[in-house]
Amino acid sequence: MAQIGTHISTAAKHLSDGQNVAIPTETVYGLAGNALDQDAVLRIFAIKNRPKFDPLIVHTHSLEAIAPFVSEIPETTRHLLEVFSPGPLTVVLPKKPIISDLVTSGLSHVAVRIPQTHLTLALLKALPFPLAAPSANPFTYVSPTTAAHVQQQLGDKIPYILDGGPCDVGIESTIVREYADHLAVLRLGGLSLEDLAAHSQKPVKLLSAHEDGASPGSFKKHYATKTPLYLNWQATELPADQQTNLAYLRFAKPIEGIPLESQFILASDGQISTAARNLFSLLRALDSGTFSAILAETLPNEGLGKAVNDRLMRAMDK
Ligand code: TXA
Ligand code: MG
């Protein structure tokens, strides 16, 4: 099993040796490798069982550190990076040849992000190379938000998990790409559309998953629990063999008339950000085999609620 610890020097040593290490970020834990080392990048795809047509995000520690990897940072993107980085924002920019086609799955553009978690920022500053890192979960499963989640699923495949505690935001970063006349949102995530729009000098346009230019990894089926999950369904609408032993995944309040022990509240304080923080942990807990199905409800469609609803919709599509 992987060693779990808080030593930046140990993580740095493994990564410098070409190994893969799980790293904490404010969104979810990442499975990192030297982005400039083909073998380390190849192993990321192998460990996750991820298809090579789904490109990786490259993580760096500052705006200056991005420059060697991209040929241009357009004005709106630069401004957004200045406002929201470090943070849950990923920007897609034209790549320089030093970033291999393996990292970008052959695309001319590379996704770049500056994560906020202190340990990982310090690690990135200590390393002479950037880190390619997808979420540290097997392909299509729920993303990990604690070191223990990573240990359960990938612990036998990596030497070290850098433990930064539970992730603060809890859902993956928002991915954007700037075009001449608009800013395209390729994935909803931990930075809300409202916050983006307030600081974007161009109109913000949300791309649906299968539109041209959407992230190659925006598969409908994603974030999927093994236990069937239904969004806004009634128990009586479920297949007969799934009608007993239900788990109810609720936003802030239980439903009347259902035993409380089968109801699970994402945010008892009623805050959408709390629901986002707890979402993946709770989905994992409900996916332990105890329940025949999960009945989830949508969150208010505002702020991070949009990103949580997006994840729940994909968890249902299987
Ligand atoms: O919050 C996050 O973004 C986390 C943490 C670890 O940073 N990372 C993450 O990575 O969620 P991953 O690989 O699970 O999701 C990255 C998404 C995929 O859907 C991928 O298709 C898309 O980003 N992506 C990566 N490079 C891209 C590119 N050059 N153009 C468009 N989409 C890209
Ligand atoms: Mg992922």
Side-chain angles (χ1 to χ4, degrees), residues 4-6 23-25 29 117 119-120 146-147 161-168:
I4 299 182
T6 56
I23 55 167
T25 84
Y29 274 71
T117 299
L119 272 182
T120 292
T146 66
I161 301 171
L162 189 61
D163 188 355
C167 300
D168 227 32

Side-chain angles (χ1 to χ4, degrees), residues 24-97:
T25 84
E26 74 281 20
T27 57
V28 300
Y29 274 71
L31 173 64
N34 177 351
L36 309 180
D37 174 346
Q38 298 271 340
D39 290 337
V41 173
L42 271 174
R43 221 176 303 109
I44 292 176
F45 287 99
I47 291 172
K48 274 185 66 95
N49 198 16
R50 173 174 174 129
K52 296 212 184 52
F53 58 75
D54 191 5
L56 307 178
I57 297 176
V58 171
H59 297 69
T60 63
H61 58 82
S62 63
L63 200 46
E64 297 70 55
I66 296 176
F69 312 115
V70 304
S71 54
E72 194 207 340
I73 306 181
E75 205 180 307
T76 293
T77 303
R78 180 177 294 276
H79 179 66
L80 292 172
L81 284 170
E82 279 163 0
V83 176
F84 294 114
S85 288
L89 171 68
T90 294
V91 297
V92 172
L93 295 168
K95 80 175 185 77
K96 280 187 180 159

